[in-house]
């Protein structure tokens, strides 16, 4: 069975792929999309969305425990883990259906199965039922990534979990080890710790949240420790001895290896791109450490073949993938889109407290040779934060002292994943410190801290 020639074939229906397909269809291109598992990809089904649903439950539970602070009484708060998971899965299913509706509405043909590139513009789709051939002028690779599994630390679905098992737990951990303190690891640590698990995080780098600004990461680490987490940095889990009811981890730190027992382990040590069995090498598409090499417009170097999202490398963020999808669709349609600037893409981690950032860290700015002005403003100086009972946090801004360019912004505290977009827009518009200082921020809001941090960078902070 074959299809008439298409303008665009998208392989993968995650937040990069389905957005690329919809935008291509909006631009009048005849478009098909191939997905081997779930519409919406990992992000919607097994990542961004369901984890945020779990974390919201933990946040509400945490507030129950603090009820007396707000003059409220709650008798012995408890939780039903199965019900928490059921809510999370229901939300993922709702959005999965929504993606299907959007693709249908935009007249994108959807093919279920595994895609293989068979030559210029040729894609073979294999499902349990049949094998079909698609012919397209342009191909967009949006196959995403999966959890990295280190030898000896692989998930087994029983006592050692990857993110998938952690999203649908068969038991509530009592003593939990999380390997890796990037966004995925620290979010799961935050969730299970909030529900009462005795949680230990092991990180090979010298601090948790290692990609974040050191000052912000240190602030977050102190908060995690205050919540009862044990944080082991500059440490390595060398091996796991697995039993029916416990796992013994051999953890090397300070040159010594010690054994620690846990009933559950979550491995969150990064991701690898899904590049296997696609026929990429035969076409001459270059791959570096499981990621497709592209230029700033996501072109692979092979004519009319593009790669977007996680399979095309860092930053591994859904919103980056979506915007790359739009950019490529517009490029194919003959428009002249601007390339995505990685340094203007915000990163958000939904632990408690939340962490968000965009642009250069203080260390990166100094290493790049900038003369910088740094501003800070603590949540404790903000009326709205105090009224919310969320006075623990910090906003930090970094400016080029010569030009006033906002080089970076870094935050830790309540709702900073929402606040960060203000600085993202500022960077996109190439706003200077003067324009930010002259902007009127509404009162009382958390956003006022963004203003005060800018003012502080130039010795003008009012409330601190």
């Amino acid at each position: 069975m074959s299809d008439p020639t298409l303008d665009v074939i998208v392989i993968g229906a995650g937040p990069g792929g389905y957005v690329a397909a919809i935008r291509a269809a909006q631009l009048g291109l005849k478009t098909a999309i191939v997905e081997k598992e779930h519409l919406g990809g990992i992000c919607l089904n097994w990542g961004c969305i369901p984890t945020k649903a779990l974390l919201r439950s933990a946040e509400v539970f945490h507030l129950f425990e603090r009820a007396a602070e707000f003059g409220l009484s709650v008798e012995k708060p408890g939780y039903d883990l199965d019900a928490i998971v059921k809510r999370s899965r229901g939300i993922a299913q709702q959005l999965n259906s929504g993606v299907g509706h959007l693709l249908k509405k935009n007249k994108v043909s959807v093919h279920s199965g595994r895609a293989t590139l068979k030559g210029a513009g040729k894609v073979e789709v294999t499902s349990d039922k049949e094998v079909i051939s698609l012919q397209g002028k342009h191909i967009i690779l949006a196959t995403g990534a999966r959890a990295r599994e280190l030898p000896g630390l692989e998930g087994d679905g029983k006592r050692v979990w990857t993110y998938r098992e952690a999203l649908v737990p068969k038991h509530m951990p009592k003593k939990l080890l999380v390997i890796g303190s990037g966004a995925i690891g620290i979010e799961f640590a935050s969730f299970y710790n909030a529900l009462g698990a005795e949680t230990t995080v092991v990180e090979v780098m010298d601090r948790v949240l290692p990609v974040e600004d050191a000052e912000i990461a240190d602030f977050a680490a102190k908060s995690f420790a205050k919540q009862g987490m044990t944080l082991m940095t500059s440490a390595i889990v060398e091996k796991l001895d697995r039993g029916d009811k416990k796992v013994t981890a051999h953890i090397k730190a300070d040159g010594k290896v010690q054994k620690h027992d846990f009933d559950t382990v979550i491995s969150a040590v990064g991701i690898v791109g899904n590049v296997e069995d696609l026929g990429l090498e035969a076409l001459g598409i270059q791959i570096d450490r499981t990621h497709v090499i592209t230029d700033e417009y996501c072109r692979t170097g092979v004519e009319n073949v593009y790669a977007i999202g996680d399979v095309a490398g860092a930053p591994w963020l859904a919103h980056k993938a979506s915007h790359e999808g739009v950019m490529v669709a517009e490029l194919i349609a003959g428009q002249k889109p601007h390339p995505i600037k990685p340094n203007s893409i915000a990163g958000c981690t939904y632990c408690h407290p939340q962490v968000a950032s965009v642009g250069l860290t203080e260390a990166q700015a100094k290493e790049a040779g900038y003369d910088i002005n740094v501003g800070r403003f603590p949540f404790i100086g903000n009326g709205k934060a105090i009224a919310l009972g969320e006075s623990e946090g910090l906003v930090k801004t970094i400016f080029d002292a010569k030009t006033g360019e906002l080089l970076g912004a870094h935050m830790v505290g309540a709702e900073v994943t929402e606040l960060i977009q203000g600085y993202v827009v500022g960077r996109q518009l190439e706003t200077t410190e003067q324009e930010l200082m002259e902007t009127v921020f509404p009162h009382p809001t958390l956003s006022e801290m963004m203003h005060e941090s800018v003012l502080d960078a130039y010795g003008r902070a009012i409330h601190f």
Side-chain angles (χ1 to χ4, degrees), residues 62-82:
H62 179 64
L63 284 172
F64 281 164
E65 294 183 312
R66 297 176 57 200
E69 292 179 33
F70 299 91
L72 306 173
S73 60
V74 175
E75 289 186 19
K76 207 172 182 180
Y79 62 85
D80 180 337
L81 185 60
D82 291 340

Side-chain angles (χ1 to χ4, degrees), residues 115-416:
T116 308
L117 277 62
K118 291 293 185 178
K122 296 179 181 178
V123 177
E124 185 176 272
V125 183
T126 305
S127 68
D128 293 338
K129 299 177 182 178
E130 59 184 351
V131 177
I132 66 170
S133 296
L134 304 177
Q135 182 73 39
K137 298 173 185 173
H138 303 269
I139 294 172
I140 302 175
L141 300 170
T143 52
R146 63 187 184 277
R148 180 187 300 277
E149 293 197 292
L150 298 179
L153 307 183
E154 301 92 345
D156 56 29
K158 297 174 183 177
R159 293 288 167 184
V160 182
W161 297 345
T162 66
Y163 64 87
R164 289 217 181 196
E165 290 88 18
L167 278 167
V168 287
K170 294 179 180 178
H171 63 268
M172 174 62 198
K174 291 185 176 69
K175 194 171 181 182
L176 171 67
L177 169 64
V178 178
I179 307 173
S181 73
I184 295 172
I186 214 68
E187 285 183 2
F188 279 123
S190 196
F191 170 71
Y192 284 109
N193 188 72
L195 296 187
E198 185 183 332
T199 304
T200 297
V201 179
V202 171
E203 170 57 52
V204 68
M205 303 299 284
D206 62 358
R207 65 177 186 266
V208 296
L209 296 169
V211 302
E212 300 295 341
D213 182 88
E215 186 176 0
I216 297 296
D218 184 57
F219 191 108
K222 288 175 181 175
S223 180
F224 299 152
K226 198 187 301 181
Q227 295 168 43
M229 286 190 208
T230 298
L231 306 176
M232 300 179 68
T233 55
S234 300
I236 299 174
V237 178
E238 293 197 328
K239 70 172 183 173
L240 300 173
D241 298 330
R242 306 166 193 237
D244 290 337
K245 294 184 178 181
K246 73 172 184 178
V247 178
T248 300
H250 298 244
I251 304 174
K252 185 177 182 179
D254 298 322
K256 300 176 182 177
V257 177
Q258 293 185 327
K259 297 180 182 180
H260 301 265
D261 290 339
F262 303 91
D263 64 74
T264 311
V265 177
I266 296 176
S267 180
V269 290
I271 62 173
V272 293
N274 293 320
V275 294
E276 302 89 352
D277 304 322
L278 288 166
L280 304 185
E281 294 88 346
L283 282 182
I285 293 172
Q286 291 187 297
I287 298 168
D288 178 34
R289 289 170 291 180
T290 78
H291 293 94
V292 175
I293 297 174
T294 67
D295 67 7
E296 61 181 351
Y297 286 100
C298 296
R299 295 176 291 212
T300 64
V302 173
E303 189 176 9
N304 297 335
V305 181
Y306 306 80
I308 64 174
D310 287 357
V311 75
W316 298 287
L317 300 165
H319 41 290
K320 173 252 197 185
S322 295
H323 276 267
E324 286 181 338
V326 170
M327 178 188 71
V328 168
E330 292 178 351
L331 195 65
I332 290 170
Q335 297 188 4
K336 295 181 179 179
H338 293 289
I340 308 299
K341 299 176 182 176
N343 263 338
S344 290
I345 300 172
C348 297
T349 305
Y350 299 80
C351 46
H352 179 75
Q354 294 179 6
V355 176
S357 60
V358 66
L360 301 179
T361 65
E362 183 177 353
Q364 288 169 341
K366 288 177 179 176
E367 287 168 12
Y370 286 102
D371 181 16
I372 59 174
N373 288 336
V374 180
R376 300 172 180 83
F377 195 81
F379 273 49
I380 192 65
N382 178 262
K384 179 67 178 293
I386 295 170
L388 289 174
E390 298 289 355
S391 59
E392 185 180 76
L394 178 68
V395 177
K396 179 177 181 178
T397 46
I398 303 160
F399 292 88
D400 182 343
K402 294 178 181 177
T403 66
E405 177 189 356
L406 175 63
L407 298 174
H410 309 272
M411 306 176 174
V412 55
E415 301 305 328
V416 297

